[in-house]
Amino acid sequence: MAAISGVLAKEQLNIVSLREHVDKGENRFFIRIEVEQEAGAPALEQKLQQVLPPDAVITVNPLPEKKVVVMVTKEYHCLADILIRHYFKTLGAQVQCVIGNHSTLQDICRRFDIPFYLVSHEQVGKADFEQQITNLINKYSPDYIVLAKFMRILSPDFVAQFTGRIINIHHSFLPAFVGANPYRQAFERGVKLIGATAHFVTNELDEGPIIAQQIIPVTHSYTAADMMKAGKEIETSVLAKALRLVFEDRVVLYRNKTVVFE
Amino acid sequence: MAAISGVLAKEQLNIVSLREHVDKGENRFFIRIEVEQEAGAPALEQKLQQVLPPDAVITVNPLPEKKVVVMVTKEYHCLADILIRHYFKTLGAQVQCVIGNHSTLQDICRRFDIPFYLVSHEQVGKADFEQQITNLINKYSPDYIVLAKFMRILSPDFVAQFTGRIINIHHSFLPAFVGANPYRQAFERGVKLIGATAHFVTNELDEGPIIAQQIIPVTHSYTAADMMKAGKEIETSVLAKALRLVFEDRVVLYRNKTVVFE
Amino acid sequence: MAAISGVLAKEQLNIVSLREHVDKGENRFFIRIEVEQEAGAPALEQKLQQVLPPDAVITVNPLPEKKVVVMVTKEYHCLADILIRHYFKTLGAQVQCVIGNHSTLQDICRRFDIPFYLVSHEQVGKADFEQQITNLINKYSPDYIVLAKFMRILSPDFVAQFTGRIINIHHSFLPAFVGANPYRQAFERGVKLIGATAHFVTNELDEGPIIAQQIIPVTHSYTAADMMKAGKEIETSVLAKALRLVFEDRVVLYRNKTVVFE
Amino acid sequence: MAAISGVLAKEQLNIVSLREHVDKGENRFFIRIEVEQEAGAPALEQKLQQVLPPDAVITVNPLPEKKVVVMVTKEYHCLADILIRHYFKTLGAQVQCVIGNHSTLQDICRRFDIPFYLVSHEQVGKADFEQQITNLINKYSPDYIVLAKFMRILSPDFVAQFTGRIINIHHSFLPAFVGANPYRQAFERGVKLIGATAHFVTNELDEGPIIAQQIIPVTHSYTAADMMKAGKEIETSVLAKALRLVFEDRVVLYRNKTVVFE
């Protein structure tokens, strides 16, 4: 801390906000500092590197707008929320394109002048399907890929290409109800709360590092369909929150967890 | 509905509150009615039975205070909350005695003049241990047995004696983190919310019908111990809520679920 | 209750859901019943009227889609949410047109093919301004007028034309921070929660019957601008909830309060 | 920051947790640092003072247990919660005595071996009443005075003696429903949420700096009495939270606000 703040003081960079986290179990120290002035990134990184241990991971981020590709299937709520925020310039990221495995959401993208690519999973093998998607993504080189209710499971090979860069919204309070039909599972179990989880995607299904979670109360009077309907509201809101946190560089990935400097 | 309200009108019983639930999947109809006047229970039950299908389950409940036996281990928070509400007559039930497998909570019971029985699980077989508890419970004939952080797993034989009458507080948002050390599990998984669940006990571990659930947010800065500490607050509050609902006859058990008429 | 359910039974109308409320202070009984079959509205109303007291207010509502006119100023979040739900047919109402006193939100309406009328409050008197709005509204004869962040105070004469039909979203947890700049007021007061309130509009500023309220936590680190930004999220969500409740005929207005049959 | 962390590094004090806040409007910088080792308080304060501006307020706090006097009237819930936590050593403070203007809560204090002083407000003038209380408090020299549902308004003279040291729980979501009978006010207004506020007491009624606030949903079916009953649950919980924050030295008072380093 003394080393870092010494460098910042010397560079006359005023700290606007500072959040830190000591993980004793892992013996790691995490810190996020916002300074008032624009800092020359490479020079500052070098100066910090000189005063920190060799294995320190340093990122000086001038907060440029992130670029994102969004993947969808048929459900509109998360995508529409992203498109609206993007259109009104409050998303904090540029939506480069939308890839859907159904054409359902093509028209809403057209209305916002966002390119929509239909890549059907039907009548092609999984490898081909994912290759088409990879080609599209590579064309755009996004910082992040947002699975906004994309309902196909992606292969380990696909995920491995974009480690720590795929964000998914899962329609349950993980780790409860991993896998398919979580609302049906929740209904059968008779839970009194349902949830949604935004997380980074890794190769273990629904096991990636959690960014944000939220719940809403339900009662015995909710059918599985009612739960799904109610759940969409928090899916939208928890994904929006996770994206804001990620786009503002507030989320640090470490092993299978996140440090979230809200 | 017409049949029931017809009987009530004929008996000149004014409805104060009515809640119903139609379960289409199970083809069952649930209803809870509060009337202003005191109703002669057996006569009214008979009159309702005459106008309803033969398999209708009818309970006319003059809301006598329930009697409960509480079982504990070492953690105080749920028991203390029950003792305080009992002492100030806001529990809605009479605490007959407390059974503990450690002596830790003996003194707090003494301070409230509640009999405390120490039944150690050490140096006896499980069958003997449970038999001693059964004997105590049978001495008191409680309506309900409340497991207020009782940390031993009860055998199917024990549970079978008190079907639908044992209420447990589980320190996680079931069905996430079934079993031992849920806070450790939650910490390892990096969740952003932790929960507590009050449920009826059945023979499948942590699988009984859920009465109430609640969550609180946690962050990366919580250790497993911090989560446990924070969790105790909602364990206390969710058990208190579940007991209130049960003691006010607002909870109907049906198969593996509850209908809760709040 | 017996009278009503007797009529429904005779008409062979199956009750899907029933919620009632006894207001002892006002000596009124409120009830909302959903039946499975389509009911011939006028005939059923007449039959119910025959068995109920003369001052009973009876509405048999075949749940046609409500028609709404939305009024806005510059903020997009509530309007965009309404337009999205409307476009995907989950609003439960038909948006007939949008009236704005600024042109900021004209383009988003155009993208969804919704007529937008600019009625500026500048360079006209208040009476003229409101007359222009009234003329537009009368052209469409909406069931409800939704003030989705419309930032002008409407005169008693205007409001009187649409009693019980104007729904507003207020950016505070009423009755705290009535009037202008509630986020500034909240910041000055150092509150730890901020809220939003959806309510029917009456002639007393911010004093109409409340339909729904919601809050989110804030901390000392929030500026008034941060509070406003965070507040928009719950404004959107609480207005969406209130509109759903109203459009599903779940809200009964009585004096200065609402009975909400969720 | 550089100056402070430089001193800590020189003293070989490891930072366990650090939270800071820049208040641009007030041009003030707030920081709370927890270090692993025990620090010699006076020496460290002096060293920090040397590197900081002359008007910096520095407190090196070895976290000794705070001492508190609790004041009550008739309602038990907040006091009982404090007594329980005190008894089980999780309050983080030592309860020296309880002062009540009714004898209702005398017995519960006796059961926990806590001195209870009855100081009736009847048949004495306000000045006398407060003088008796002041005498008792001065006898104990507490760090904090907790008004755990003490229902008399204290005079400016009384409050002035204990500036920044009196903590009150108010039974509403301040600043809504200032003054008497907030639940009656909330009922009349038809709100859909009720709240509780823990705050430091100043001479303006219910206007002191807010420490913590919480709400719960209510519906049209709640009478004022039901709201009061439901409200007690959050009063208990929000006061417990505020006390924990204050006793852990996480709350900094500045003008009419608090900075809360959770």
Side-chain angles (χ1 to χ4, degrees), chain B residues 214-262:
Chain B
Q214 212 177 319
I215 58 92
I216 41 166
V218 294
T219 72
H220 58 266
S221 74
Y222 282 64
T223 62
D226 293 336
M227 286 186 184
M228 181 177 296
K229 198 176 147 194
K232 282 176 211 263
E233 304 288 330
I234 48 167
E235 288 167 23
T236 307
S237 129
V238 81
L239 181 58
K241 184 184 172 185
L243 293 183
R244 181 179 61 71
L245 292 169
V246 169
F247 296 161
E248 291 178 7
D249 290 312
R250 294 180 181 279
V251 182
V252 183
L253 256 171
Y254 189 69
R255 299 194 189 268
N256 202 43
K257 292 190 190 178
T258 60
V259 173
V260 179
F261 290 125
E262 271 190 79

Side-chain angles (χ1 to χ4, degrees), chain A residues 77-78 81 169 231-241:
Chain A
H77 51 292
C78 289
D81 186 71
I169 178 72
K232 282 175 210 265
E233 303 289 328
I234 48 167
E235 289 168 23
T236 307
S237 127
V238 82
L239 180 59
K241 183 183 173 186

Side-chain angles (χ1 to χ4, degrees), chain C residues 41-241:
Chain C
L44 186 57
E45 271 179 32
Q46 208 178 2
K47 278 168 192 156
L48 287 167
Q49 193 67 75
Q50 282 163 11
V51 299
L52 292 174
D55 67 336
V57 179
I58 302 162
T59 317
V60 178
N61 195 332
L63 270 184
E65 248 194 10
K66 306 294 183 292
K67 292 175 295 171
V68 297
V69 164
V70 183
M71 290 172 62
V72 298
T73 296
K74 287 178 175 176
E75 287 175 90
Y76 74 85
H77 51 291
C78 289
L79 174 64
D81 185 71
I82 290 169
L83 292 177
I84 288 288
R85 289 175 200 262
H86 181 251
Y87 172 78
F88 286 104
K89 304 193 191 318
T90 55
L91 182 66
Q94 189 199 335
V95 178
Q96 300 178 297
C97 75
V98 174
I99 300 170
N101 64 323
H102 284 270
S103 62
T104 317
L105 300 173
Q106 180 149 30
D107 182 64
I108 189 74
C109 291
R110 184 189 58 73
R111 286 174 187 263
F112 284 103
D113 307 319
I114 301 292
F116 177 92
Y117 298 95
L118 175 63
V119 181
S120 175
H121 62 280
E122 286 171 14
Q123 296 173 323
V124 292
K126 182 154 188 164
D128 274 3
F129 173 62
E130 291 190 347
Q131 188 56 55
Q132 288 179 54
I133 294 173
T134 301
N135 291 347
L136 275 167
I137 292 174
N138 288 339
K139 188 176 142 196
Y140 284 99
S141 304
D143 295 297
Y144 293 101
I145 297 149
V146 180
L147 307 184
K149 302 295 289 176
F150 180 73
M151 304 307 275
R152 311 292 303 174
I153 294 172
L154 295 163
S155 73
D157 282 353
F158 181 90
V159 171
Q161 300 174 95
F162 310 104
T163 309
R165 290 164 54 202
I166 311 181
I167 297 160
N168 184 43
I169 178 72
H170 183 80
H171 40 321
S172 97
F173 179 73
L174 290 175
F177 311 128
V178 165
N181 269 331
Y183 292 120
R184 168 57 54 185
Q185 291 183 58
F187 172 76
E188 298 292 352
R189 184 62 187 88
V191 295
K192 302 302 185 190
L193 301 173
I194 57 171
T197 303
H199 63 100
F200 287 106
V201 176
T202 57
N203 278 324
E204 295 195 54
L205 178 61
D206 300 336
E207 287 291 337
I210 294 170
I211 306 166
Q213 300 189 289
Q214 210 177 321
I215 58 92
I216 41 167
V218 295
T219 73
H220 58 266
S221 74
Y222 282 65
T223 62
D226 293 335
M227 287 185 184
M228 180 177 294
K229 198 175 145 195
K232 283 176 210 265
E233 304 289 328
I234 48 168
E235 288 168 24
T236 307
S237 128
V238 80
L239 179 59
K241 185 184 173 184

Side-chain angles (χ1 to χ4, degrees), chain B residues 76 80 84-85 87-88 90 105 107-108 111-113 229 233 244 248, chain D residues 76 80 84-85 87-88 90 105 107-108 111-113 229 233 244 248:
Chain B
Y76 74 85
I84 287 289
R85 289 175 201 261
Y87 172 78
F88 286 104
T90 54
L105 300 172
D107 183 64
I108 189 75
R111 285 174 187 262
F112 285 104
D113 307 319
K229 198 176 147 194
E233 304 288 330
R244 181 179 61 71
E248 291 178 7
Chain D
Y76 74 86
I84 287 288
R85 289 175 201 262
Y87 172 79
F88 285 104
T90 54
L105 300 173
D107 182 65
I108 189 76
R111 286 175 186 263
F112 285 103
D113 306 319
K229 197 175 148 196
E233 304 288 329
R244 181 179 61 74
E248 292 178 7

Side-chain angles (χ1 to χ4, degrees), chain A residues 141-238:
Chain A
S141 303
D143 296 297
Y144 293 101
I145 297 150
V146 179
L147 308 185
K149 303 293 289 178
F150 179 73
M151 304 306 276
R152 309 293 302 174
I153 295 172
L154 295 163
S155 73
D157 282 353
F158 181 90
V159 171
Q161 299 174 95
F162 309 104
T163 310
R165 291 164 55 202
I166 311 180
I167 296 161
N168 185 44
I169 178 72
H170 183 79
H171 40 319
S172 95
F173 180 72
L174 289 175
F177 310 128
V178 166
N181 270 329
Y183 292 120
R184 167 57 52 183
Q185 291 182 58
F187 172 76
E188 298 293 351
R189 183 62 187 88
V191 294
K192 302 302 186 190
L193 303 171
I194 56 171
T197 304
H199 64 100
F200 287 106
V201 175
T202 57
N203 278 324
E204 295 194 53
L205 178 62
D206 301 334
E207 287 293 334
I210 294 170
I211 306 165
Q213 298 188 289
Q214 211 177 319
I215 59 92
I216 41 166
V218 294
T219 72
H220 59 265
S221 74
Y222 282 64
T223 61
D226 293 335
M227 288 186 183
M228 180 178 295
K229 197 174 148 195
K232 282 175 210 265
E233 303 289 328
I234 48 167
E235 289 168 23
T236 307
S237 127
V238 82

